[in-house]
Amino acid sequence: MGIREEVYYEGGPHIGDLIFNLLIGLTVVGIPLAVGAIVRAVWLRFRITDRRICVTGGWMGRDRYDVIYSEVMKVVKVPRGIGLWGDMAITLKNGTLIEMRAVPNFREVYDYINEKIAAKNPQYSNPK
């Protein structure tokens, strides 16, 4: 019997990331970007709950990172695609950096993660 988690977001990267990179992929220089976007679209998945952040990705979805909010030290966001999606970098207390690329509604997700981190880490300062 597991502990119940309330899921805030579960899904893959923003579809605009794939479309934008496929258009760039029509040039020879953009082919690696298009391949990266296809790999993200097929195998990258995010699951953000009230207890943890789970990122599954890598080649054929073999890499999985589960992070509880009390282990997070810092979260940074960067808008992409004229602000429709964005990238997030989560720094853990042990120095590990977890990247979340092409997150849909990244501003709302960033605010939600910061709320949970502040509740679990009293010493965490919210850098808005």
Side-chain angles (χ1 to χ4, degrees), residues 2 7 28 32-33 38 41 44-45 51 57 61 63 65-66 74 82 90-91 96-97 99-100 103 112 122 125 127-128:
V7 176
V28 173
L33 298 173
I38 292 168
L44 180 64
R45 294 293 172 257
R51 301 194 66 221
D63 299 332
Y65 300 99
D66 285 315
K74 184 170 114 178
I82 53 176
I90 300 171
T91 306
T96 304
L97 181 69
E99 295 180 358
M100 298 171 60
V103 179
Y112 181 80
S125 61
K128 283 207 171 191

Side-chain angles (χ1 to χ4, degrees), residues 8-19:
Y8 178 75
Y9 175 75
E10 186 170 14
H14 194 278
I15 190 70
D17 177 56
L18 177 63
I19 294 168

